[in-house]
Amino acid sequence: MSRAQRLIRAAMQTALLSISLVASAVAPTTDIRGRLADTPVLRGSFEQEKQLKGFRHSLQSSGDFLLARDRGVVWNTRKPFASSIVITKQHLLTTTGADGAQKRVAAAGSPGVGTAPTLMLALLTGDTVTLAEQFEIKPSELADGRWQLELLPRTGALKKAFRRIALQGDRNVETIRIEERSGDHTEIRFLDLRDTPAELDIAEAQQFE
Amino acid sequence: MSESAAAAAELRRRWRWAAWVWLALVLALAAHQLQFWSAPKLDSDLLTLLPREQADPVLAAATERISDAATRSIVVVLSGPSWATTLSAAHAFVAALQTESAGLLPVGAAEHGAATLAFYRPYRDRLLTPSQRASLRQPDPAALADRALANLYGPGVTGGATAWQADPLALWPDWWQQRIGSGISERDGMASIAAAGSDWIILSYESPAAAFKFNGKAPIQRALDRASAQARALVPTVKILRAGVPLHAEAAAARANWEMNTIGLGSFLAVILLMWLAFRGLRPLALVALSLAIGWAAGVSVTALVFGKVHLLTLVFGASLVGVAEDYGIHYFASRQRHRDLGSHGLMYYLLPGLTLAFVTSALAYLALAAAPFPGLRQMAVFSTAGLMAAFATVACWFPWLDQRPRPISRFGNAIAASLQAWPRLPNRQRFTWLLAVALLVFTLLGLQRIQIHDDLRSLQKSPVALVRQQQQIDQLLGLPSPAQFYLVRGASVEQVLQREEALTAKLDQLVSQQQLKGYRATSDWVPSLARQHADAGLTAAAESSVLTKVSGVVGETITRPAFAATDLTLEDWLRQPLSAPFRSRWLGAVGTDWASVVMLNGVGPGADLGLLSAQAKTIPGVRWIDRTSDISRLLGHYRAMMAWLLVAGFAGVVLVLALRYRRLAWRALLPTAVAGVVTVAALAWLGEPFDLFSVLALLMLLGMGIDYGIFLLEHDGDGASWLAVCLGAASTLLAFGLLALSATPALRTFGLTLLFGIGLVWLLSPLFRPPPALSNAAIRSTPLPSQTNHEN
């Protein structure tokens, strides 16, 4: 593969990597890891606010999500319109519109998709090695007793895309804030987090198929 | 008496001239040798052995460009039990290789990515994949708007490539994905691919220009071995594969060096040993060695002067010259004792007609190799002919001076000389003879039934199995483009070439979707034709404008589509960018009044349906399917047939020449070689060896050399000295070609085997057909010898 190809790939990779970071993140330091609940399944709702360059208003959306440590993540946007994204080790599936039009990209055949879910799941399981390779991590304690992790990108491609990423939480990651070099920024808040039942029911499991 | 003394003096005077002239030439040769070996111009590239497309300059340019691009790159792929271990093994490998002095330069890891994106960004609106194009031709505005909104509101960020407004349908990532090749991605700063059930890291290197050293070492291979060992020390189970032309070239060079030393040294020592056994003197030994050394050096020098470079395989083949060129010296010394009355000059004068005839037939046989337009064979022909001539000249011009007195032949030599009498003369009326002849006939006829004609390019090239297997595995993983099969696209303008490429790739896309092809690489992948750019820009403008209008309604503000480049993306611009460097070899540019390019195919393996691929080119004007492998195999077959005719013609020519000199005895010199040739072909067929161009060429050489034995025995019938010379000569020739049969290069092996059998048979058969004593000298046109009339002298 040529030099140019590799770097373009790196740049394209960034977008997908960010999805996994947003979906969930785990603190790498042992202190914070100890406080994080070590659950196989996590359910909850989210509120997302995006501020994009060229848009006067911020873009707000909300919905619910399902995180299964050994399967992947389902991201259901409910407002302002319904759409869903399922990320597993095998594929990336987007469902949009009233008629449920689907776009499925197989992980095997598509570069970027293949690695992002793997990385994401590594994050969920607390694979601090992987995270620390990509980011310099600065942990700190907030005034209210919760923790914060500041992730500063290490590698050239990530540096070009992100200024910083900040995670805050207690037993779980509660907010994620992503600041991009382009000036765009995104904030996601997680609410109503539930880790029981610890197994997926049939309907939940089907979403990953 | 005074008359003969005057004649002898005249002879010596003329010889003195010849000796001085030859000395001058040998000194020039020595000077050239010193200069050549101080910086040897040796060639190990197998492609240079193959015929060039002289008839078609476009095809010649294409193959040259492709092989240039291929000859320097090396790819290493690694995979451990997990990504983390793969990564640490790769880091260890890279770090270890940095400390090596093999001069391998890593490819990649620079900061051109942003520049590449910046170059293409203004043209984003006119870059579509085939499936995007198809779906935008029949757009579903509502579904497109939904997709755009999902992208806008979806989790995470839009990414660094474009602002959302500039690509609301996220078309660009897919386009890039297709450019980069399926499966390859950047992960933790490493190019990686998920294939064959595991994750692999791909490391690309470039080897320095082919300034390799001819010392039998393989520096690149050893550097990679050591780096692999470092990676394995960290991750013992890591799989490491490597591929690249430099590895094959290096293996070939090391192998050729070994073979040249084995064959050259082996046959040289054998000649020396035989000489020692037969003559028991240092001088004959030193003189024959001198003739061989001068012969070999002349071979190298003349080849270097004619071709500019000497190929390694030429040196390997040339090493077997030792086994042929020693004949002249041996013949001289074998006859010396018996004809001591002639004096050294007189003996040479006496032997010269036979030696000259033997030299001419051998040289003609070697020159016949040059009739086929294979540069490799031409080098071997020039090398061998020059070497033979120099060895012959050394014997003829110098031996009478340097050899002062006849010496007795050893008991061993005499035993061999006397053994001639033990051979029966044919034809005779014994029943045993007839039984043997019939048995041989049956063996031969049955053997000839089993002949397998097999013309294969691979007979010129044989890489180590492990290397070939790794190359195949990497081809499977990465789908590397095949340098031997491709499409040549021509047109009257750049635009026409690009449009024809697009017509071709549209067909290839269908094959890819039917999984009959892994993929392709074309210039139009990176620079679409203007017609296509305009059409695609129209498609995206229509779809995206309507999408943006709909999205504006949802978000409650007016979003405008940013402007794209007003000018076209041109090939000239693209060629000036650093990003086009890896792909430029596919654009051949202006060729005569035309423009041309190459479309390459990924992963065309042994199972590929070449007929199907060839059919794709037929319906598009200006597109030609090129299959170098089959072209060259066909060429080998063509020249096999042609050379077979030349063999027949050569045989007829030899019949004519021998008939002029030996009249009705000529058949006795010819028959052993003819029988030996046919029986050899049959015997090799029994052994399951394929019959190809190189078999025919070996038969031609058998004709040239085998006839010599017949000639020597006819010239000096009943002469044990000639028989001694034939035996010593045949033994060393057998050994030289027997060693050549050990070569890893199938073509040289065929040569070696054919001549091993053939020469062996001629050796056995020749004495059987020597004429009855009464017949011999009467039939030969006598050569007047100056001292022959003065035996009392």
Side-chain angles (χ1 to χ4, degrees), chain A residues 21 25-34 36 118-137 139 149 151 154 167, chain B residues 84 87 188:
Chain A
L21 287 172
V26 133
T29 61
T30 45
D31 179 38
I32 293 167
R33 267 200 77 196
L36 276 164
T118 320
L119 177 63
M120 176 194 70
L121 294 177
L123 287 168
L124 292 174
T125 51
D127 185 353
T128 53
V129 177
T130 307
L131 200 59
E133 265 170 15
Q134 309 263 17
F135 294 96
E136 187 189 335
I137 302 171
L149 291 181
L151 307 182
R154 279 186 201 278
L167 311 178
Chain B
L87 193 64
D188 297 333

Short mmCIF file of all heavy atoms in Angstrom, two decimals, chain A residues 21 25-34 36 118-137 139 149 151 154 167, chain B residues 84 87 188:
data_model
loop_
_atom_site.label_atom_id
_atom_site.label_comp_id
_atom_site.label_asym_id
_atom_site.label_seq_id
_atom_site.Cartn_x
_atom_site.Cartn_y
_atom_site.Cartn_z
N LEU A 21 -15.60 5.85 20.25
CA LEU A 21 -15.28 6.60 21.46
C LEU A 21 -16.55 7.15 22.08
O LEU A 21 -16.71 7.17 23.29
CB LEU A 21 -14.34 7.75 21.13
CG LEU A 21 -12.93 7.32 20.82
CD1 LEU A 21 -12.13 8.50 20.32
CD2 LEU A 21 -12.30 6.72 22.05
N ALA A 25 -16.84 4.76 26.80
CA ALA A 25 -15.41 4.81 27.04
C ALA A 25 -15.15 4.41 28.47
O ALA A 25 -15.99 4.57 29.34
CB ALA A 25 -14.86 6.20 26.78
N VAL A 26 -14.00 3.90 28.71
CA VAL A 26 -13.68 3.40 30.02
C VAL A 26 -12.36 4.03 30.43
O VAL A 26 -11.48 4.26 29.61
CB VAL A 26 -13.60 1.87 29.96
CG1 VAL A 26 -12.36 1.35 30.64
CG2 VAL A 26 -14.84 1.28 30.59
N ALA A 27 -12.26 4.36 31.66
CA ALA A 27 -11.05 5.01 32.12
C ALA A 27 -9.93 4.01 32.25
O ALA A 27 -10.16 2.88 32.63
CB ALA A 27 -11.29 5.66 33.47
N PRO A 28 -8.73 4.42 31.90
CA PRO A 28 -7.63 3.47 31.90
C PRO A 28 -6.94 3.33 33.25
O PRO A 28 -6.27 2.37 33.48
CB PRO A 28 -6.68 4.08 30.88
CG PRO A 28 -6.92 5.55 31.00
CD PRO A 28 -8.33 5.73 31.42
N THR A 29 -7.10 4.33 34.08
CA THR A 29 -6.34 4.23 35.32
C THR A 29 -7.03 3.26 36.26
O THR A 29 -8.25 3.13 36.27
CB THR A 29 -6.22 5.59 36.00
OG1 THR A 29 -7.53 6.03 36.29
CG2 THR A 29 -5.53 6.59 35.11
N THR A 30 -6.25 2.59 37.04
CA THR A 30 -6.80 1.54 37.90
C THR A 30 -7.79 2.13 38.90
O THR A 30 -8.79 1.51 39.24
CB THR A 30 -5.67 0.83 38.65
OG1 THR A 30 -4.78 1.80 39.16
CG2 THR A 30 -4.94 -0.14 37.75
N ASP A 31 -7.52 3.36 39.33
CA ASP A 31 -8.41 3.99 40.28
C ASP A 31 -9.82 4.08 39.74
O ASP A 31 -10.79 3.67 40.35
CB ASP A 31 -7.86 5.38 40.62
CG ASP A 31 -8.75 6.10 41.58
OD1 ASP A 31 -9.28 5.42 42.49
OD2 ASP A 31 -8.94 7.32 41.43
N ILE A 32 -9.91 4.64 38.52
CA ILE A 32 -11.23 4.84 37.94
C ILE A 32 -11.84 3.51 37.49
O ILE A 32 -13.03 3.29 37.62
CB ILE A 32 -11.14 5.85 36.80
CG1 ILE A 32 -10.78 7.21 37.40
CG2 ILE A 32 -12.42 5.92 36.02
CD1 ILE A 32 -10.36 8.25 36.40
N ARG A 33 -11.00 2.63 37.02
CA ARG A 33 -11.51 1.31 36.62
C ARG A 33 -12.19 0.63 37.79
O ARG A 33 -13.20 -0.04 37.63
CB ARG A 33 -10.35 0.42 36.13
CG ARG A 33 -10.15 0.51 34.64
CD ARG A 33 -9.38 -0.68 34.15
NE ARG A 33 -10.21 -1.86 34.07
CZ ARG A 33 -9.72 -3.10 33.97
NH1 ARG A 33 -8.43 -3.29 34.01
NH2 ARG A 33 -10.54 -4.12 33.88
N GLY A 34 -11.60 0.82 38.94
CA GLY A 34 -12.18 0.20 40.13
C GLY A 34 -13.58 0.73 40.42
O GLY A 34 -14.45 0.01 40.91
N LEU A 36 -15.67 1.89 38.09
CA LEU A 36 -16.60 1.57 37.00
C LEU A 36 -17.24 0.21 37.22
O LEU A 36 -16.57 -0.75 37.59
CB LEU A 36 -15.87 1.55 35.66
CG LEU A 36 -15.68 2.91 34.99
CD1 LEU A 36 -14.62 2.79 33.91
CD2 LEU A 36 -16.98 3.39 34.39
N THR A 118 -13.96 -3.27 16.89
CA THR A 118 -13.01 -4.03 17.70
C THR A 118 -12.41 -3.12 18.77
O THR A 118 -12.32 -3.48 19.94
CB THR A 118 -11.87 -4.56 16.82
OG1 THR A 118 -12.42 -5.01 15.60
CG2 THR A 118 -11.15 -5.69 17.50
N LEU A 119 -12.08 -1.92 18.34
CA LEU A 119 -11.49 -0.95 19.26
C LEU A 119 -12.52 -0.55 20.32
O LEU A 119 -12.24 -0.48 21.50
CB LEU A 119 -11.03 0.28 18.48
CG LEU A 119 -10.46 1.40 19.33
CD1 LEU A 119 -9.22 0.93 20.06
CD2 LEU A 119 -10.17 2.62 18.47
N MET A 120 -13.74 -0.35 19.84
CA MET A 120 -14.80 0.06 20.75
C MET A 120 -15.00 -0.99 21.83
O MET A 120 -15.10 -0.67 23.01
CB MET A 120 -16.09 0.26 19.98
CG MET A 120 -17.24 0.59 20.87
SD MET A 120 -18.78 0.42 19.99
CE MET A 120 -18.85 -1.35 19.83
N LEU A 121 -15.07 -2.23 21.41
CA LEU A 121 -15.29 -3.29 22.38
C LEU A 121 -14.11 -3.43 23.33
O LEU A 121 -14.27 -3.75 24.50
CB LEU A 121 -15.58 -4.61 21.67
CG LEU A 121 -16.90 -4.60 20.90
CD1 LEU A 121 -17.11 -5.89 20.15
CD2 LEU A 121 -18.08 -4.33 21.83
N ALA A 122 -12.93 -3.14 22.81
CA ALA A 122 -11.75 -3.15 23.68
C ALA A 122 -11.90 -2.07 24.75
O ALA A 122 -11.56 -2.27 25.91
CB ALA A 122 -10.49 -2.91 22.85
N LEU A 123 -12.47 -0.94 24.33
CA LEU A 123 -12.70 0.15 25.28
C LEU A 123 -13.67 -0.28 26.36
O LEU A 123 -13.47 -0.04 27.54
CB LEU A 123 -13.27 1.37 24.54
CG LEU A 123 -12.30 2.15 23.67
CD1 LEU A 123 -13.07 3.13 22.79
CD2 LEU A 123 -11.30 2.89 24.54
N LEU A 124 -14.75 -0.94 25.93
CA LEU A 124 -15.79 -1.35 26.87
C LEU A 124 -15.25 -2.33 27.90
O LEU A 124 -15.62 -2.30 29.06
CB LEU A 124 -16.95 -2.01 26.12
CG LEU A 124 -17.76 -1.08 25.24
CD1 LEU A 124 -18.77 -1.88 24.44
CD2 LEU A 124 -18.44 -0.02 26.09
N THR A 125 -14.38 -3.22 27.44
CA THR A 125 -13.87 -4.23 28.36
C THR A 125 -12.67 -3.71 29.14
O THR A 125 -12.01 -4.46 29.85
CB THR A 125 -13.46 -5.50 27.60
OG1 THR A 125 -12.60 -5.11 26.53
CG2 THR A 125 -14.66 -6.22 27.05
N GLY A 126 -12.39 -2.43 28.99
CA GLY A 126 -11.33 -1.84 29.78
C GLY A 126 -9.94 -2.17 29.29
O GLY A 126 -9.00 -2.33 30.06
N ASP A 127 -9.81 -2.31 28.00
CA ASP A 127 -8.50 -2.61 27.42
C ASP A 127 -7.68 -1.33 27.39
O ASP A 127 -7.61 -0.62 26.39
CB ASP A 127 -8.70 -3.17 26.01
CG ASP A 127 -7.40 -3.63 25.37
OD1 ASP A 127 -6.33 -3.39 25.99
OD2 ASP A 127 -7.45 -4.19 24.29
N THR A 128 -7.05 -1.03 28.51
CA THR A 128 -6.36 0.25 28.63
C THR A 128 -5.15 0.35 27.71
O THR A 128 -4.74 1.44 27.34
CB THR A 128 -5.89 0.46 30.08
OG1 THR A 128 -5.14 -0.68 30.47
CG2 THR A 128 -7.06 0.64 31.01
N VAL A 129 -4.60 -0.80 27.35
CA VAL A 129 -3.43 -0.78 26.46
C VAL A 129 -3.77 -0.11 25.14
O VAL A 129 -3.07 0.78 24.66
CB VAL A 129 -2.94 -2.23 26.19
CG1 VAL A 129 -1.76 -2.22 25.22
CG2 VAL A 129 -2.56 -2.90 27.50
N THR A 130 -4.89 -0.52 24.55
CA THR A 130 -5.30 0.02 23.26
C THR A 130 -5.56 1.51 23.35
O THR A 130 -5.11 2.29 22.51
CB THR A 130 -6.58 -0.70 22.78
OG1 THR A 130 -6.34 -2.09 22.81
CG2 THR A 130 -6.95 -0.27 21.39
N LEU A 131 -6.29 1.91 24.37
CA LEU A 131 -6.65 3.31 24.51
C LEU A 131 -5.40 4.17 24.71
O LEU A 131 -5.27 5.24 24.12
CB LEU A 131 -7.61 3.46 25.69
CG LEU A 131 -8.44 4.73 25.69
CD1 LEU A 131 -9.30 4.81 24.45
CD2 LEU A 131 -9.32 4.79 26.95
N ALA A 132 -4.51 3.68 25.53
CA ALA A 132 -3.31 4.46 25.85
C ALA A 132 -2.39 4.58 24.65
O ALA A 132 -1.60 5.52 24.57
CB ALA A 132 -2.56 3.82 27.03
N GLU A 133 -2.49 3.62 23.69
CA GLU A 133 -1.67 3.73 22.49
C GLU A 133 -2.11 4.88 21.60
O GLU A 133 -1.31 5.49 20.91
CB GLU A 133 -1.74 2.42 21.70
CG GLU A 133 -0.59 1.50 22.03
CD GLU A 133 -0.79 0.13 21.42
OE1 GLU A 133 -1.64 -0.02 20.53
OE2 GLU A 133 -0.08 -0.79 21.85
N GLN A 134 -3.43 5.16 21.62
CA GLN A 134 -3.97 6.19 20.75
C GLN A 134 -3.99 7.56 21.42
O GLN A 134 -3.93 8.57 20.75
CB GLN A 134 -5.41 5.82 20.35
CG GLN A 134 -5.54 4.42 19.82
CD GLN A 134 -5.51 4.38 18.32
OE1 GLN A 134 -5.09 5.35 17.70
NE2 GLN A 134 -5.93 3.28 17.74
N PHE A 135 -4.15 7.55 22.74
CA PHE A 135 -4.38 8.81 23.44
C PHE A 135 -3.49 8.93 24.66
O PHE A 135 -3.20 7.93 25.33
CB PHE A 135 -5.83 8.91 23.91
CG PHE A 135 -6.82 8.99 22.78
CD1 PHE A 135 -7.46 7.84 22.33
CD2 PHE A 135 -7.11 10.20 22.17
CE1 PHE A 135 -8.36 7.90 21.28
CE2 PHE A 135 -8.01 10.26 21.13
CZ PHE A 135 -8.64 9.12 20.68
N GLU A 136 -3.14 10.18 24.92
CA GLU A 136 -2.53 10.48 26.21
C GLU A 136 -3.69 10.74 27.17
O GLU A 136 -4.61 11.50 26.84
CB GLU A 136 -1.65 11.71 26.05
CG GLU A 136 -0.83 12.05 27.25
CD GLU A 136 -0.16 13.40 27.06
OE1 GLU A 136 0.03 13.81 25.88
OE2 GLU A 136 0.14 14.05 28.07
N ILE A 137 -3.68 10.12 28.32
CA ILE A 137 -4.85 10.18 29.20
C ILE A 137 -4.52 10.94 30.49
O ILE A 137 -3.56 10.63 31.17
CB ILE A 137 -5.33 8.76 29.53
CG1 ILE A 137 -5.66 8.03 28.23
CG2 ILE A 137 -6.54 8.81 30.45
CD1 ILE A 137 -5.94 6.57 28.40
N PRO A 139 -6.26 11.79 33.95
CA PRO A 139 -7.41 11.62 34.87
C PRO A 139 -7.44 12.75 35.90
O PRO A 139 -6.41 13.31 36.26
CB PRO A 139 -7.10 10.28 35.54
CG PRO A 139 -5.63 10.08 35.41
CD PRO A 139 -5.10 10.97 34.34
N LEU A 149 -11.81 12.09 32.62
CA LEU A 149 -10.63 11.68 31.84
C LEU A 149 -10.52 12.60 30.65
O LEU A 149 -11.48 12.80 29.92
CB LEU A 149 -10.79 10.24 31.33
CG LEU A 149 -10.76 9.12 32.34
CD1 LEU A 149 -10.90 7.80 31.61
CD2 LEU A 149 -9.47 9.16 33.14
N LEU A 151 -8.74 12.92 27.12
CA LEU A 151 -7.98 12.14 26.15
C LEU A 151 -7.39 13.08 25.10
O LEU A 151 -8.13 13.81 24.43
CB LEU A 151 -8.89 11.11 25.44
CG LEU A 151 -9.71 10.17 26.33
CD1 LEU A 151 -10.49 9.20 25.46
CD2 LEU A 151 -8.83 9.43 27.31
N ARG A 154 -2.61 10.99 20.35
CA ARG A 154 -1.16 10.83 20.20
C ARG A 154 -0.74 10.84 18.73
O ARG A 154 0.23 11.48 18.37
CB ARG A 154 -0.72 9.46 20.74
CG ARG A 154 -0.56 9.37 22.21
CD ARG A 154 0.02 7.99 22.52
NE ARG A 154 -0.22 7.57 23.89
CZ ARG A 154 0.54 7.96 24.91
NH1 ARG A 154 1.54 8.77 24.72
NH2 ARG A 154 0.25 7.56 26.13
N LEU A 167 -14.22 12.58 29.06
CA LEU A 167 -15.22 11.66 29.60
C LEU A 167 -15.43 12.01 31.07
O LEU A 167 -14.46 12.27 31.79
CB LEU A 167 -14.75 10.22 29.51
CG LEU A 167 -14.19 9.71 28.19
CD1 LEU A 167 -13.73 8.26 28.36
CD2 LEU A 167 -15.23 9.81 27.10
N ALA B 84 -2.84 -7.21 19.71
CA ALA B 84 -1.79 -6.61 20.53
C ALA B 84 -0.44 -7.30 20.29
O ALA B 84 0.59 -6.64 20.16
CB ALA B 84 -2.17 -6.70 22.00
N LEU B 87 0.86 -6.41 16.87
CA LEU B 87 1.42 -5.06 16.87
C LEU B 87 2.82 -5.04 17.50
O LEU B 87 3.74 -4.44 16.95
CB LEU B 87 0.48 -4.13 17.65
CG LEU B 87 0.74 -2.64 17.49
CD1 LEU B 87 0.52 -2.20 16.06
CD2 LEU B 87 -0.19 -1.84 18.41
N ASP B 188 -3.56 1.69 14.46
CA ASP B 188 -2.43 1.96 15.35
C ASP B 188 -1.17 2.34 14.56
O ASP B 188 -0.07 1.87 14.85
CB ASP B 188 -2.13 0.75 16.24
CG ASP B 188 -3.30 0.44 17.15
OD1 ASP B 188 -4.05 1.38 17.46
OD2 ASP B 188 -3.48 -0.73 17.52
#
